[in-house]
Amino acid sequence: MEPPIEVGADLRPEVAVRLASQGVRLLWRDDFPAARRLLAAMGKRLPTRSADFYRYRQSRRNRARVLGMLLVELGPDLRINLPHAPDVRDAVRAAGGAPGLVPLTELLGMLSAHEWRVKGVPVAALGARIHPYYGVFSPTRQDYVSLVASAPLPVVRTAFDIGTGTGVLAAVLARRGVPEVVATDISPVAVACARENVRRLGLPQVRVVEADLFPAGRADLVVCNPPWLPGAAHSPLDAAVFDPGSRMLTGFLGGVAAHLAPGGDAWLVLSDLAELVGLRTRAELLTRFAAAGLTVVDRLDAPRRRYPGRDPLAEARSREVVSLWRLRP
């Protein structure tokens, strides 16, 4: 890899975009706020306006690649030796970062995530805050949480929360009175995050374990909120949105019957955005249910959300519906 070129406040945004598009890394050596202004100006020159999902995603990947060429240097003590630079040490440590060159976009993501981790995200269904870790999907949109909080709850002694992330759904089930909740996640970072959140909330009835989908045993209720879009994940946060080859959805549907107690319910929380952008049809989803030997007992829909019109996929998102599917063998 070619060494980066050192740049400063005299670098024009259009020149920065041209160089970065050619794969030239740009190491910032000037005032830190000016680096943020340059990044914003570069972003304005990289529009992502296609309403076609595949072209939109391709343009987003290209935008991320180009903007990721603007670098800052973290010293051995994780400080940024630039005028007016913030103290990023705690945020970088929390994200598992290290000294060296880091894309400014990645550093800003660490800072934002650390602010969420420290302050927490208010969750109305809990009347409390959830503290997400860097790389773990934050419950900033809460329609899926509200569905689990309001769905009619049968008599449940044990519940499983598959792919728990921050642990928010496991916490909701515990707050609804489920005596024992086992939450799983394949990510060690998510497991640590969920454990901290249930500890903060004082929920000893929730046990968080690292597992690929299901824990051992059976439960009266098994809940899963898998990534909603089939497709490749290109970043840690993408993994909460994209399910390559529908692996998690297929694994959940194929295995849930074997982990349900007699008469138990499976709750699948899923958006129809994949259907609206042409990645899956409703008929294909229903066929997956039938192939797994599952019957739809009920479906609860969350109210539609208003979505900013600037999003290239705003038309699809304005029609998006998040549903809780009640399934039984």
Side-chain angles (χ1 to χ4, degrees):
M1 181 182 295
E2 293 292 326
I5 63 172
E6 298 189 359
V7 297
D10 58 344
L11 179 65
R12 299 194 307 275
E14 61 273 18
V15 176
V17 168
R18 175 170 56 80
L19 291 172
S21 297
Q22 295 169 357
V24 178
R25 297 187 299 157
L26 311 171
L27 177 56
W28 188 259
R29 291 300 196 190
D30 214 320
D31 180 80
F32 186 83
R36 298 188 65 160
R37 291 194 294 271
L38 175 63
L39 187 70
M42 291 172 66
K44 291 179 181 178
R45 288 162 172 78
L46 295 165
T48 55
R49 295 174 181 163
S50 175
D52 176 82
F53 177 78
Y54 294 102
R55 291 180 180 176
Y56 169 72
R57 229 190 145 204
Q58 184 177 18
S59 65
R60 293 288 297 181
R61 286 184 64 189
N62 181 65
R63 174 190 173 90
R65 180 187 65 82
V66 172
L67 296 181
M69 292 293 175
L70 182 60
L71 311 175
V72 293
E73 185 173 13
L74 295 175
D77 59 354
L78 301 181
R79 293 180 185 272
I80 304 173
N81 186 24
L82 295 174
H84 307 110
D87 187 346
V88 301
R89 290 174 295 172
D90 289 343
V92 173
R93 289 191 191 101
L101 304 184
V102 59
L104 179 57
T105 51
E106 185 177 334
L107 181 64
L108 295 177
M110 292 179 188
L111 289 169
S112 177
H114 190 61
E115 184 176 0
W116 273 350
R117 178 169 177 174
V118 172
K119 295 181 178 180
V121 176
V123 177
L126 290 172
R129 292 175 178 266
I130 286 289
H131 297 258
Y133 283 17
Y134 179 75
V136 180
F137 193 71
S138 173
T140 49
R141 65 173 292 176
Q142 295 177 22
D143 38 9
Y144 70 99
V145 180
S146 299
L147 283 170
V148 173
S150 60
L153 188 67
V155 177
V156 176
R157 295 174 297 276
T158 302
F160 294 164
D161 174 24
I162 309 303
T164 193
T166 60
V168 62
L169 296 185
V172 167
L173 293 172
R175 284 282 177 88
R176 294 195 68 183
V178 177
E180 181 183 1
V181 181
V182 182
T184 72
D185 207 290
I186 196 172
S187 163
V189 175
V191 169
C193 178
R195 284 175 176 165
E196 181 178 330
N197 278 310
V198 298
R199 179 189 58 78
R200 283 176 180 266
L201 294 168
L203 299 173
Q205 66 270 52
V206 179
R207 181 164 54 93
V208 185
V209 299
E210 185 177 335
D212 186 357
L213 295 176
F214 301 98
R218 294 174 179 264
D220 304 300
L221 175 65
V222 181
V223 177
C224 183
N225 173 37
W228 291 344
L229 295 174
H234 302 303
S235 72
L237 286 180
D238 266 3
V241 180
F242 291 94
D243 184 12
S246 298
R247 176 190 175 276
M248 186 171 179
L249 176 62
T250 301
F252 173 75
L253 294 176
V256 70
H259 292 275
L260 279 172
D265 267 9
W267 290 1
L268 174 67
V269 184
L270 202 63
S271 159
D272 67 351
L273 185 60
E275 301 168 20
L276 296 173
V277 298
L279 300 181
R280 181 174 57 227
T281 67
R282 178 56 55 90
E284 288 170 346
L285 181 63
L286 297 177
T287 298
R288 285 178 177 269
F289 294 164
L294 299 171
T295 298
V296 178
V297 177
D298 196 5
R299 192 190 81 213
L300 307 175
D301 295 337
R304 288 179 177 171
R305 307 165 68 223
R306 297 189 65 180
Y307 212 85
R310 291 173 297 177
D311 191 309
L313 299 180
E315 194 277 331
R317 290 185 182 274
S318 67
R319 295 185 288 126
E320 178 188 14
V321 175
V322 179
S323 301
L324 186 153
W325 298 82
R326 285 187 59 211
L327 306 169
R328 286 183 182 170

